[in-house]
Amino acid sequence: MSQTRGKYDFCIGLVLAMSSSIFIGGSFILKKKGLLRLARKGSMRAGQGGHAYLKEWLWWAGLLSMGAGEVANFAAYAFAPATLVTPLGALSVLVSAILSSFFLNEKLNLHGKIGCLLSILGSTVMVIHAPQEEEVETLNEMSHKLGDPGFLVFATLVVIVSLILIVVVGPRHGQTNILVYITICSVIGALSVSCVKGLGIAIKELLAGKAVLQHPLFWILLLCLTVCVSTQINYLNRALDIFNTSIVTPIYYVIFTTSVLTCSAILFKEWQHMAADDIIGTLSGFLTIIVGIFLLHAFKDVNFTLANLPVSLRKDDRAANGTLLSTYDCFDHDEESSACLGEMQSTESLSGRRNGSLSAF
């Protein structure tokens, strides 16, 4: 019976995590559209410390969408382990990339489509190998976990690093280095996930009729979550305002997910109860997602499609055989003539230099 209940909770958590990714992926687009509209109006930008976005309805729509996603994410942590829920945030990257191509005029080329496919495959592998049993079921157990020396050291390091980035590094390099604001969001996010996990457990106990509201840990977790989420929203807005959405989203996902997996390993120790093949499968799925996200965004400005693939292979074969493009090949296709002529000229120039010919200079 308990095993059946565990599988049922796992499926609920999986559906909630996927719904969360859809809402959160859309929120990036709505927020970016609102910030771009404010920039066109000449308002002080969020990256410069302005708060004019609070008067923009598109930004509020994005915030509400993110709020809905976070609520679904919040509920998912109550039913499924963090090792599963957090990496599925990659789906929000896919949603963001697809919507960006429609609403922000950001192209999704062949590399991006392959990256989307790899991210989906990596997420599937992680779902298959993720742990399906909860390690913490009551607030008393959560309190014991939070008091573990390993987690206390981790939380202290997160707070120290965040304060250094906010007070010292941010004012100097935040406008030019994309990692500053994103790192603040990511490491703080690891603590917010821990708070969400604890509050999710508290809500499940509350629904079971237990006196959760009288437990001090409930209010401590709620306060910490409020502070962490407020900080994340503030610095994520700055990163989105200064840098391209397609760059912010994948970097934020990788750093945030790595931080959460580290926090989960220290706090909930879910990895200790996983078989070796499940650990390898989970890590392989995560790395596959990272590769997919890299392909999705690293080559986003390269205009490469399946239609270009035969042309590229034909040129590679000719280069390997040492043959030059003929004038007939160039002018046989009008749309490629200028590119071909440029290639002929560069090839002749290179040949002349190799032969020591002065005509090549």
Side-chain angles (χ1 to χ4, degrees):
M1 181 67 180
S2 60
Q3 185 177 3
T4 303
R5 179 65 182 178
K7 291 182 178 180
Y8 178 73
D9 288 347
F10 180 84
C11 293
I12 293 177
L14 178 60
V15 173
L16 288 171
M18 295 175 66
S19 302
S20 170
S21 297
I22 295 175
F23 282 111
I24 293 176
S27 73
F28 281 104
I29 307 304
L30 291 172
K31 283 186 173 183
K32 185 67 176 182
K33 290 285 287 185
L35 293 172
L36 289 174
R37 178 180 292 185
L38 287 174
R40 288 194 296 267
K41 292 180 181 178
S43 302
M44 180 178 289
R45 307 185 65 170
Q48 299 172 343
H51 296 87
Y53 56 84
L54 295 175
K55 300 179 181 179
E56 175 58 50
W57 71 270
L58 270 176
W59 185 88
W60 281 105
L63 182 63
L64 290 176
S65 178
M66 177 170 281
E70 292 297 343
V71 169
N73 196 52
F74 182 97
Y77 280 107
F79 292 96
T83 308
L84 168 69
V85 176
T86 303
L88 286 181
L91 297 178
S92 67
V93 179
L94 305 186
V95 173
S96 176
I98 294 172
L99 293 180
S100 294
S101 64
F102 286 100
F103 299 103
L104 298 180
N105 297 321
E106 297 177 3
K107 296 181 180 179
L108 187 64
N109 57 14
L110 180 61
H111 296 89
K113 294 174 183 177
I114 295 176
C116 289
L117 178 62
L118 287 176
S119 297
I120 294 173
L121 292 177
S123 299
T124 303
V125 171
M126 292 202 71
V127 170
I128 294 173
H129 292 281
Q132 299 186 15
E133 295 182 355
E134 290 294 327
E135 294 298 323
V136 182
E137 297 181 354
T138 66
L139 271 183
N140 290 330
E141 293 180 5
M142 187 68 181
S143 177
H144 178 72
K145 293 284 187 181
L146 292 173
D148 184 79
F151 177 75
L152 291 176
V153 172
F154 174 80
T156 302
L157 289 175
V158 167
V159 172
I160 292 174
V161 169
S162 300
L163 289 175
I164 292 175
L165 290 174
I166 292 173
V167 177
V168 179
V169 182
R172 298 179 181 177
H173 306 287
Q175 299 285 331
T176 56
N177 193 326
I178 191 174
L179 293 177
V180 176
Y181 292 149
I182 293 181
T183 302
I184 295 173
C185 299
S186 301
V187 297
I188 293 290
L191 296 182
S192 67
V193 166
S194 302
C195 296
V196 167
K197 185 72 173 180
L199 289 174
I201 294 170
I203 291 175
K204 290 178 68 176
E205 285 193 290
L206 182 64
L207 295 177
K210 297 183 180 180
V212 174
L213 299 179
Q214 298 178 3
H215 202 299
L217 182 61
F218 174 82
W219 300 104
I220 293 174
L221 291 175
L222 184 60
L223 177 62
C224 292
L225 179 62
T226 303
V227 174
C228 291
V229 171
S230 300
T231 304
Q232 284 181 268
I233 291 175
N234 182 30
Y235 286 96
L236 183 58
N237 278 335
R238 297 191 182 191
L240 286 171
D241 185 48
I242 297 171
F243 305 102
N244 194 301
T245 307
S246 61
I247 299 176
V248 172
T249 305
I251 295 177
Y252 175 68
Y253 167 77
V254 172
I255 301 178
F256 173 70
T257 305
T258 303
S259 301
V260 172
L261 291 179
T262 302
C263 182
S264 178
I266 296 173
L267 179 59
F268 301 111
K269 298 180 174 61
E270 293 170 342
W271 296 84
Q272 294 182 0
H273 303 279
M274 295 174 64
D277 57 340
D278 287 332
I279 294 177
I280 295 173
T282 301
L283 293 176
S284 299
F286 180 50
L287 292 176
T288 302
I289 294 173
I290 292 177
V291 173
I293 292 176
F294 175 78
L295 288 175
L296 180 61
H297 295 288
F299 302 100
K300 71 180 188 66
D301 294 326
V302 178
N303 187 16
F304 186 76
T305 63
L306 283 174
N308 304 128
L309 189 58
V311 177
S312 300
L313 292 176
R314 196 160 60 239
K315 291 179 179 179
D316 290 341
D317 291 339
R318 289 170 179 173
N321 296 329
T323 59
L324 297 177
L325 292 172
S326 65
T327 305
Y328 173 79
D329 291 333
C330 288
F331 290 98
D332 187 49
H333 300 86
D334 293 336
E335 67 273 11
E336 299 179 8
S337 60
S338 60
C340 290
L341 287 174
E343 185 175 344
M344 288 178 60
Q345 292 173 359
S346 61
T347 307
E348 291 173 356
S349 176
L350 179 61
S351 176
R353 292 179 187 179
R354 288 177 178 174
N355 296 329
S357 174
L358 294 176
S359 61
F361 295 92

